[in-house]
Amino acid sequence: MPYDLNQPPSPQHRPSRHASRARGGALLAVAALAAVTLSGCGGSSGPGAAPVPGEPETTGATASAAPSGSATAGDSGTAGQPGTPGTPSDAKPSTPGRGPLAGKVVVIDPGHNPGNFRHAREINRLVDIGTNRKECDTTGTATNDGYTEAAFTLDVSHRLRTLLEKQGATVRFTQDDDRPFGPCVDERARIGNEAAADAVVSIHADGSGSGNRGFHVIHPALVERGAADTTRIVGPSRELAERIAGKFVRATGSAPSNYVGGGTGLDERGDLGGLNLSTVPKVFIECGNMRDTKDAALLTSSQWRQKAAQGIAEGIGSYLLG
């Protein structure tokens, strides 16, 4: 995910007690697991970044991000596969169950469709994001060994859905590799809005320069322009981001990004259509930098992806239950 370093921070973008706990949790995790490699996430315009495919909502189709079934060593799962079959995005939401999240609706947005790379013309089409017009979508990035962001996001999303449904939540996907490409960023926002979701989480992994590591959660800035009006969701989305960041640290042992967010694990943005057009609380999470070899070793591990899903699920649950 790219970052506009020239964009001034919003007045709302300041560390909170939740962010402080996230930083503290990360330090404790590092101290307790000194020999463990930390995971990360980031933005392609960060320090030392290299031009790579897969910047969500800013670059067009990139053939180099074509799906691959390869996986790095140490993964007991199949990294190149999207995971177990899931509910199609155009199907009815999952049946609510019993549990603490019964009655809550969560929309999961797996970043990028595995078929996007076959539809360059379609995903390069410009759509209105309120502040301006941007590409419908992008291909997503990939590790140096060819494990795609699209495969990663679907796998984590499937795991996340299972965890949330066990707690009784109603879960809907924006896409589940059940359509040729897309949806476009404006449609992704619309799916969450029409579902009257209590929370929407867009799952991503970054494509930044080697050495850039650490996760971060992106939440919407205050935007009132054209079709975009985030006035009512800025506060709730920030709270959702803080809850997810804190739980992600604990579940994965990962540290906040070392190149975005100033160590808070949070990043406020006003240039993403998926956030600008949302009328319900929504965040993006960049789980790691696929172009860094240490992060890639984590992202391609099925065990780590389960931890990532657990952290996100706990963050969503904490937010929804107050």
Side-chain angles (χ1 to χ4, degrees):
M1 176 74 70
Y3 297 93
D4 182 0
L5 299 181
N6 295 317
Q7 179 175 310
S10 166
Q12 289 87 6
H13 187 42
R14 56 182 180 272
S16 70
R17 56 188 179 88
H18 296 288
S20 299
R21 286 201 298 268
R23 292 195 297 273
L27 293 174
L28 290 174
V30 173
L33 304 171
V36 177
T37 302
L38 293 177
S39 73
C41 196
S44 60
S45 64
V52 296
E55 281 77 19
E57 302 191 19
T58 54
T59 58
T62 308
S64 61
S68 167
S70 63
T72 59
D75 182 6
S76 62
T78 305
Q81 299 300 321
T84 57
T87 304
S89 59
D90 58 355
K92 293 181 180 179
S94 57
T95 302
R98 297 180 179 178
L101 299 184
K104 302 296 185 180
V105 177
V106 178
V107 171
I108 300 173
D109 178 24
H112 313 288
N113 186 315
N116 277 359
F117 80 100
R118 300 187 188 93
H119 296 273
R121 180 175 61 82
E122 291 89 345
I123 69 170
N124 277 320
R125 177 175 62 86
L126 298 181
V127 299
D128 183 9
I129 67 165
T131 55
N132 60 297
R133 296 175 67 83
K134 282 193 174 182
E135 289 83 359
C136 158
D137 200 5
T138 68
T139 60
T141 189
T143 67
N144 295 332
D145 290 333
Y147 178 45
T148 66
E149 181 183 1
F152 170 82
T153 63
L154 277 173
D155 182 86
V156 172
S157 294
H158 291 151
R159 297 169 188 269
L160 176 58
R161 176 176 58 195
T162 297
L163 293 168
L164 291 172
E165 288 182 339
K166 285 182 177 178
Q167 298 182 69
T170 295
V171 180
R172 182 171 182 179
F173 277 22
T174 58
Q175 64 91 12
D176 198 6
D177 194 14
D178 53 355
R179 53 191 291 167
F181 64 92
C184 296
V185 296
D186 56 341
E187 183 182 354
R188 285 193 244 161
R190 189 161 58 249
I191 290 170
N193 297 345
E194 292 178 351
D198 295 288
V200 183
V201 178
S202 189
I203 310 297
H204 286 269
D206 205 10
S208 185
S210 179
N212 290 343
R213 304 189 61 198
F215 77 91
H216 60 275
V217 187
I218 303 169
H219 56 98
L222 179 61
V223 176
E224 297 178 85
R225 182 177 173 186
D229 185 355
T230 62
T231 305
R232 293 187 298 174
I233 70 164
V234 167
S237 297
R238 171 69 184 238
E239 177 72 11
L240 175 61
E242 292 170 343
R243 298 293 183 118
I244 290 176
K247 298 296 184 180
F248 199 83
V249 165
R250 295 176 180 85
T252 65
S254 298
S257 170
N258 64 6
Y259 63 108
V260 172
T264 66
L266 302 174
D267 184 36
E268 181 180 87
R269 295 183 61 173
D271 63 327
L272 300 177
L275 297 181
N276 288 356
L277 301 176
S278 182
T279 59
V280 294
K282 182 174 181 178
V283 299
F284 284 43
I285 180 168
E286 296 280 2
C287 297
N289 178 16
M290 301 196 95
R291 310 299 286 191
D292 178 85
T293 55
K294 292 180 179 180
D295 268 9
L298 298 177
L299 295 167
T300 54
S301 163
S302 60
Q303 293 92 341
W304 189 88
R305 292 196 298 271
Q306 185 64 33
K307 292 178 182 178
Q310 184 68 44
I312 298 169
E314 290 178 0
I316 293 172
S318 175
Y319 167 77
L320 293 178
L321 296 175

